[in-house]
């Protein structure tokens, strides 16, 4: 009985030392993580981990030169104006787009396309053409009668740009006409390459 009482007395007395200090710190942290404060700390920790993950995934921690396999484009844009079908397989613009991609591989110019949505008319195509000029497209291509006519009419107002139209009529010195049918893809590629060279890019 005496021994038992002594053991109890020893455990009830506070002890000094690093073990007790560590226990108090852990107990304090455990208490702080309970309730609203705990949710706040946990939320901040999750946010920080998410940001670090995004940074690492995006290559923020990557050192050294960029991947040499990545194509380095010139600051030159070739833009295609199509009907609302765009560049899907079988659409009139599909071979034109293929030719533009071939020209891009050779000249390293950026290529994009814009479909004219809505009524197939010159009046409807004109705002789309104007948007390409506002984007500073260096070479503008057009396929489809309304798009071609909108480009032909607007080419004279943009003498520094180059234009390639399919089955159109040359109305200015900066307009090149290519014929549809077999060989259209190759003809477009050659016309874009020549237009890029003529622009001095």
């Amino acid at each position: 009985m005496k021994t038992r009482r002594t053991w109890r007395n020893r455990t009830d007395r506070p002890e000094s030392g690093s073990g007790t200090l560590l226990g108090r710190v852990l107990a304090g942290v455990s208490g702080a993580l309970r309730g609203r404060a705990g949710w706040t700390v946990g939320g901040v920790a999750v946010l920080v981990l998410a940001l670090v993950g995004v940074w690492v995934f995006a290559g923020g921690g990557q050192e050294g030169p960029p991947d040499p396999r990545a194509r380095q484009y010139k600051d030159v844009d070739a833009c295609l104006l199509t009907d609302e079908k765009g560049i899907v397989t079988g659409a009139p613009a599909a071979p034109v787009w293929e030719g533009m991609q071939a020209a891009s591989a050779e000249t390293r110019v950026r290529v994009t396309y814009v479909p004219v949505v809505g009524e197939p008319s010159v009046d409807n195509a004109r705002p789309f053409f104007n948007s390409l000029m506002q984007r500073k497209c260096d070479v503008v291509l057009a396929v489809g009668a309304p798009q071609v006519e909108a480009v032909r009419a607007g080419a004279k107002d943009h003498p520094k740009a180059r234009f390639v139209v399919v089955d159109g009529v040359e109305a200015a010195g900066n307009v090149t006409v290519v014929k549809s049918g077999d060989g259209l893809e190759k003809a477009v590629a050659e016309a874009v390459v020549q237009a890029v060279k003529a622009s001095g890019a």
Side-chain angles (χ1 to χ4, degrees):
M1 195 71 170
K2 183 177 180 181
T3 305
R4 189 175 179 186
R5 201 178 302 128
T6 304
W7 175 79
R8 285 181 179 173
N9 290 339
R10 285 182 179 175
T11 56
D12 291 342
R13 283 181 294 176
E15 296 181 3
S16 60
S18 60
T20 303
L21 179 60
L22 179 60
R24 289 178 181 170
V25 171
L26 291 175
V29 171
S30 176
L33 290 177
R34 292 180 186 155
R36 188 173 297 173
W39 283 105
T40 302
V41 172
V44 170
V46 169
L47 180 61
V48 170
L49 289 174
L51 290 175
V52 169
V54 170
W55 180 70
V56 170
F57 182 76
Q62 181 181 357
E63 295 181 1
D67 186 353
R69 295 171 297 179
R71 183 183 296 180
Q72 302 297 317
Y73 289 97
K74 293 180 180 179
D75 189 21
V76 179
D77 292 291
C79 310
L80 172 62
L81 201 60
T82 77
D83 62 16
E84 61 183 2
K85 293 179 182 177
I87 58 173
V88 298
T89 302
V96 179
W97 180 247
E98 292 295 329
M100 290 176 67
Q101 289 184 313
S104 176
E106 181 177 342
T107 62
R108 294 183 291 116
V109 300
R110 296 183 295 260
V111 293
T112 58
Y113 76 96
V114 173
V116 174
V117 180
E119 180 186 357
S121 67
V122 177
D123 288 339
N124 186 45
R126 190 172 292 115
F128 292 89
F129 167 76
N130 292 336
S131 72
L132 296 182
M133 302 317 301
Q134 290 173 356
R135 285 168 46 186
K136 307 294 184 184
C137 291
D138 303 278
V139 182
V140 175
L141 297 93
V143 59
Q147 293 75 238
V148 168
E149 179 58 26
V151 168
R152 187 196 65 78
K156 60 181 179 296
D157 297 326
H158 304 278
K160 292 184 179 180
R162 302 292 169 181
F163 303 90
V164 179
V165 296
V166 178
D167 294 336
V169 178
E170 293 186 21
N174 57 346
V175 178
T176 300
V177 178
V178 294
K179 298 298 181 182
S180 58
D182 294 340
L184 176 58
E185 178 180 331
K186 183 178 180 181
V188 167
E190 292 175 352
V192 172
V193 170
Q194 292 302 318
V196 171
K197 290 179 179 178
S199 68

